[in-house]
Amino acid sequence: MFVPLAAVVLLQVLGFANSQGGCGETCPPLNYGTPVPSLCEGDLAENYTNIDRVYETCHPTVGDTFMFRDFMGAGRVTVVSNFYIGCNAGRRETGVFTHVAQRYYQQYGDRTNFVTSLKGGTNCERWAGIWQLDAITLFPDSGIVPREVPLTVLDQDSALRDDFFTAPFPHPSYVILDGDLKVRHKIVGPCCGFESFFDCVADTARGLEQTLTRYIDAILAEPVVESGMEAPPAEPMVPDPAPGDEPATADSQCTWSDWSECSVTCGDGIQFRWSTGECEGAPVVTQPCSMAPCVEDAAQCVPEFGATHEVVTVASGFDGPRDLAFHPTPGFHLGNFSEGRPFYPDEGEEAWIVNALNHSVSIVASLGSPRQTTISRRDRGYYHYMINATALAFNMVSDSGRSSDRDSFNYWAVCNDDMNTYLGLKEPNNFMGPTLYNSAPRNRNIVNRLGEECEPDEECFFLHADMLHEAPGCIGMAHDPELRTTYGNVYWLFDTTGNQENGQLVRFDFQQPHGPGSMDHSIAAVRRFPDVQLTRGDPGVHAGMIVHPVTRELFISVPGENKVIAVHADSGAYARTARQEYPIFSSRLPSFEYSIWECPEQRDFATDIDTPTGLAISPDGERLFVAERATGIIHAFEIKSGSKLFGIATGYSTIGGMEFSPTSQVLHFVDEATNTLNAVRPNSTCASPVPSRVNPSFDSMATTAQETLGRDFSLYRDYECVVDALIPDAIYFDQVHDDTGYASNDTNVQSNMTGMDASAALLADRFDCEYDSELNFDALLLGGYFCHQCLPSGGAECDPGGRCANVQWDGYTCDNEFLVVQDPSTDAVMLTYPDHSPVDMQSVMLKPGVTYRFTVKGDITACLYDSPDPAANPIESGCMTKGPLLTSIDAGSSRTFDQGVYLRADGELIMLPVEQRRLRS
Ligand SMILES: *[C@@H]1O[C@H](CO)[C@@H](O)[C@H](O)[C@H]1NC(C)=O
Ligand SMILES: *[C@@H]1O[C@H](CO)[C@@H](O)[C@H](O)[C@H]1NC(C)=O
Ligand SMILES: *[C@@H]1O[C@H](CO)[C@@H](O)[C@H](O)[C@H]1NC(C)=O
Ligand SMILES: *[C@@H]1O[C@H](CO)[C@@H](O)[C@H](O)[C@H]1NC(C)=O
Ligand SMILES: *[C@@H]1O[C@H](CO)[C@@H](O)[C@H](O)[C@H]1NC(C)=O
Ligand SMILES: *[C@@H]1O[C@H](CO)[C@@H](O)[C@H](O)[C@H]1NC(C)=O
Ligand SMILES: *[C@@H]1O[C@H](CO)[C@@H](O)[C@H](O)[C@H]1NC(C)=O
């Protein structure tokens, strides 16, 4: 198995302590990143969560449903717990919780409710059963045998945790709610801080019983105030039978339907038959079928391309554009002024193009309007966070219903086609994956070189909100518009490395982003789908991916196999942990889910497409557009029938990503060789669209079968598939990190922004920068180095000829940048260094061969001259207010700056001498 040694070292470096600092009950929890509002004592649950959300239990009864509103009522108590599975110490408490739950149930019926959840990386039947056995083992003499409670939810989206506990609140933990669903207590369990199951001895764990009992009894003893909502009588309730358990009706004998008609009216399709009653095997069986070939009619068209169309270049000058995405809220990121340039948020649309060759994003603002202009922006650590990025996607879901402080609408992510080689300087360690950003301009999502919130007059850089590391060599990515997770940060990725034989589909849920400035990756869920085998095409070829918002099918271009496949985004099941087979991952804490999911529903949607790349779904959801890179054709498929309806030749030979513009609804695509963004503009409406090829008879039979069989109905499920389960070994999980040395709170080696790394301060003196040296470059980033001798170009990017100086944890400065500011006391115009320290005009000396940046702040207008003559014209970069002035002192140019560089501002003249000797040589 492929396990680079580097990975082991890496995991130690990256194994951060829980930022909450151990097991404190501080609420809201202490967080290095963006603070997230959190449910704390005294808060009403309904202020933070949707108390009408329907949860389904997987234990003790499969398929019962409840919502928290059901638990309201005077005199009632609800306890919610948060555990992680495995052989963690925290699991000790599950048995105590289960015991307490049953004891109250027997005495108070559903006046008390106990809710617990299993997160996605597990299997309900196995663990809930273990908890019940633990309860008996821990309280052998109590006579209490858990049967009816607690209500266990298979919470694959970690929604219960995210709604009630808000990381980094430690675990195991408990929220005790009263009849108004007000939080009366929020506590951390006694096993927090212990490492293994056996470290937290039974007596310690049993301490939870006393704590819970004290709090619950106190609430139960409170006088019940008449509020219209009566507490239910204190008698045990009989659980409702689950829907599946209803007595079999008369027609339980096996009946098979006839074969359906073929799914299509022409070309190739499928047909199916289905069964009711007690039949052997799969309830749905399909087989291929063929009708007469589809006839092309030249008079017909598809609406998106009109009766006639033209392919026009709408923007150009990119650097290896691989993908584009339209910003859901034009102007949101740039505002009306950024980097000294005006923008017009109300005019036109906004396309973001990812440049794989210089690791940047080009934002085409006011696209399609006379104000159209392009600005390029990147990450200060582009060589890790945005390296050869091949796909870019936004969260476009504007109406998710999530509370606004948790909604990730307007967030975006890139996926990086790289093995983490720092531009080829370092041995690949495969620690690479998608990077998440928040496009909101405030809150340090864009920063200046020093890491301060970027002002509109400064050069700005993206600062990532989160990053995960389980998909090196990624060539495709789609945001999942699902509404079930608390934050909405689910992305699907095309990982070309997979199991080192073929690539794989991987689902990333960033969950709660760590926020700008933090490096805590312990809250996330990453699921590998090894059954979905993917193959890349030639290096650098983008693979389109898109989730259909209604059918929830994920379409994936597989360039290496000349086909487009469809995978149901909600299908498949947890099989086992991925930590053993895929040993490079972001965090060893149990809150980080890294799992293998098997048996997803998948099918070939379209085959024989010569290198499919960009994908786009028509605004009405009916058609899938597929770019065929090798021929330059864009095909239109009817999604429901899978039938190819239409195709147009674009004349381009390196088409990458495609997307419909959200307002004008025009299909756009990037072309790599020509560095262009292009649009397929209809000239006139399509009067005679190609008719649907769906066979209505097939469709209605499928609807009937679906209504009868419910979740058991699928045309694409492999009913024979069973997941290959395996009990996770505790050695792949760390419960706590307190004793690893990385939890030092010495401010010299840790930042309150970044996390902690005891060895960080020592990294400054490392010169072993070689390709195969022991120095881990990721550790440099984590250690707060933006400027370091080992990083590409010394790490930080200064304008040409400049040298950087690291400002640990925050950023860097460049010796060729000055600020032009007004002296606050005298109002005189003066120069400072980027850290605001004044420039000593006696000692400053500009150098030939260097480009200098003067960032003009405030209301000053500054101009650059090469002569002190008041009649001289400014040099060509001219004058600037609130923005950068750049000039290069170039020995070869006509401008010699013989006498120095002159900066005139508000009537004052500042002279900067230029080193003459070397200029003349
Ligand atoms: C719940 O939210 C409402 C409206 O935002 C606020 O007025 C109230 O104080 C909140 N109550 C609690 C207990 O959190
Ligand atoms: C579409 O319109 C443009 C100008 O409006 C014209 O040059 C082009 O020939 C038209 N294309 C077709 C296919 O009619
Ligand atoms: C990347 O390349 C494009 C196209 O040449 C250019 O406009 C942009 O400024 C470059 N960006 C960076 C950060 O170098
Ligand atoms: C630009 O935006 C700022 C803040 O949103 C606003 O105060 C200003 O008036 C705007 N300027 C123009 C020219 O629209
Ligand atoms: C990655 O970027 C480098 C330039 O920094 C370029 O030379 C290389 O071809 C790119 N690789 C891919 C796969 O795009
Ligand atoms: C650092 O940790 C030590 C021991 O845990 C504690 O006594 C000290 O107060 C902490 N210092 C800071 C600055 O938090
Ligand atoms: C980091 O901590 C210091 C001292 O507690 C505080 O002054 C500073 O504001 C903090 N910085 C950030 C960005 O939170």
Side-chain angles (χ1 to χ4, degrees), residues 8 73 80 116 235 238 304 341 370 395 402 415 417 426 501 567 582 617 628 645 671 688 694 702 718 728 744 824:
V8 178
V80 189
T116 187
E235 55 186 66
V238 182
E304 292 73 20
R341 297 168 54 177
N395 177 342
R402 294 180 172 102
C415 97
D417 186 2
K426 196 69 199 166
E501 283 166 18
V567 180
Y582 301 88
I617 290 176
E628 184 171 41
L645 301 177
D671 179 66
S688 82
V694 175
D718 175 0
S744 162

Side-chain angles (χ1 to χ4, degrees), residues 435-447:
T435 312
L436 181 74
Y437 295 90
N438 180 356
S439 70
R442 293 292 154 226
N443 203 4
R444 295 180 78 240
N445 295 306
I446 53 170
V447 292

Side-chain angles (χ1 to χ4, degrees), residues 39-48 181-183:
L39 189 63
C40 297
E41 271 176 28
D43 290 332
L44 288 174
E46 65 185 300
N47 277 11
Y48 292 85
L181 299 185
K182 180 193 269 193
V183 178

Side-chain angles (χ1 to χ4, degrees), residues 288-373:
C289 53
S290 289
M291 304 296 285
C294 299
V295 183
E296 281 186 27
D297 178 344
Q300 292 176 344
C301 41
V302 290
E304 292 73 20
F305 291 158
T308 58
H309 67 271
E310 53 178 343
V311 178
V312 284
T313 296
V314 295
S316 58
F318 305 113
D319 194 11
R322 296 268 163 87
D323 195 15
L324 84 148
F326 283 88
H327 198 297
T329 317
F332 180 69
H333 180 75
L334 292 170
N336 57 16
F337 194 83
S338 187
E339 300 198 26
R341 297 168 54 177
F343 294 94
Y344 302 89
D346 299 331
E347 296 180 41
E349 300 184 75
E350 190 174 301
W352 289 39
I353 284 94
V354 66
N355 294 306
L357 297 184
N358 72 0
H359 324 293
S360 70
V361 171
S362 289
I363 304 174
V364 184
S366 296
L367 177 65
S369 85
R371 307 281 201 185
Q372 180 177 323
T373 183

Side-chain angles (χ1 to χ4, degrees), residues 553-556 563-567 602-607 609 615 622-626 636-644 716:
E553 271 195 306
L554 163 64
F555 295 95
I556 307 170
K563 66 181 184 181
V564 175
I565 63 168
V567 180
Q602 59 172 325
R603 62 183 165 129
D604 286 352
F605 176 80
T607 53
I609 299 174
L615 295 181
E622 300 288 332
R623 283 163 295 283
L624 178 72
F625 291 79
V626 181
F637 288 85
E638 183 178 31
I639 289 177
K640 204 160 182 187
S641 63
S643 184
K644 192 191 291 180
Y716 305 110

Side-chain angles (χ1 to χ4, degrees), residues 57 104 106 163 214 218 227 285 317 395 408 466-467 589 619 639 663 695 730 738 749 754 768 772 854 902 913:
T57 61
Y104 277 97
Q106 291 182 356
D163 283 354
R214 182 156 40 93
S227 66
V285 182
N395 177 342
S408 298
D466 212 340
M467 185 178 186
L589 289 172
I639 289 177
T663 308
N695 178 345
D738 286 344
V749 296
T754 313
D768 49 340
D772 56 355
F854 299 88
Y902 295 86

Side-chain angles (χ1 to χ4, degrees), residues 304-305 323-326 477-478 542-549 555-557 564 605 612-628 634-639 655-661 665-670 680:
E304 292 73 20
F305 291 158
D323 195 15
L324 84 148
F326 283 88
M477 180 176 64
H542 164 86
M545 289 173 73
I546 189 166
V547 179
H548 193 289
F555 295 95
I556 307 170
S557 280
V564 175
F605 176 80
T613 53
L615 295 181
I617 290 176
S618 60
D620 66 2
E622 300 288 332
R623 283 163 295 283
L624 178 72
F625 291 79
V626 181
E628 184 171 41
I634 297 176
H635 300 282
F637 288 85
E638 183 178 31
I639 289 177
I655 300 181
M658 292 205 297
E659 190 160 302
F660 277 93
S661 52
Q665 306 200 334
V666 169
L667 185 66
H668 286 72
F669 64 87
V670 289
V680 183

Side-chain angles (χ1 to χ4, degrees), residues 521-710:
H521 297 132
S522 63
I523 305 295
V526 180
R527 297 176 183 163
R528 307 196 69 90
F529 287 77
D531 296 343
V532 183
Q533 301 187 359
L534 305 174
T535 318
R536 78 181 306 157
D538 292 336
V541 170
H542 164 86
M545 289 173 73
I546 189 166
V547 179
H548 193 289
V550 179
T551 69
R552 306 256 331 119
E553 271 195 306
L554 163 64
F555 295 95
I556 307 170
S557 280
V558 189
E561 285 180 60
N562 295 331
K563 66 181 184 181
V564 175
I565 63 168
V567 180
H568 200 286
D570 302 323
S571 69
Y574 172 80
R576 58 194 183 274
T577 180
R579 296 176 190 227
Q580 194 163 352
E581 290 153 72
Y582 301 88
I584 300 171
F585 49 88
S586 296
S587 172
R588 287 177 58 87
L589 289 172
S591 58
F592 177 72
E593 178 200 331
Y594 190 32
S595 53
I596 292 175
W597 281 50
E598 292 180 338
C599 304
E601 289 174 23
Q602 59 172 325
R603 62 183 165 129
D604 286 352
F605 176 80
T607 53
D608 299 323
I609 299 174
D610 194 349
T611 318
T613 53
L615 295 181
I617 290 176
S618 60
D620 66 2
E622 300 288 332
R623 283 163 295 283
L624 178 72
F625 291 79
V626 181
E628 184 171 41
R629 185 169 168 119
T631 59
I633 295 174
I634 297 176
H635 300 282
F637 288 85
E638 183 178 31
I639 289 177
K640 204 160 182 187
S641 63
S643 184
K644 192 191 291 180
L645 301 177
F646 201 73
I648 61 160
T650 62
Y652 287 95
S653 56
T654 48
I655 300 181
M658 292 205 297
E659 190 160 302
F660 277 93
S661 52
T663 308
S664 56
Q665 306 200 334
V666 169
L667 185 66
H668 286 72
F669 64 87
V670 289
D671 179 66
E672 190 159 356
T674 57
N675 285 312
T676 52
L677 172 65
N678 304 282
V680 183
R681 282 200 195 132
N683 272 9
S684 49
T685 49
C686 171
S688 82
V690 185
S692 166
R693 277 129 186 206
V694 175
N695 178 345
S697 152
F698 174 93
D699 210 29
S700 71
M701 183 161 150
T703 306
T704 309
Q706 163 95 64
E707 280 164 3
T708 312
L709 296 179

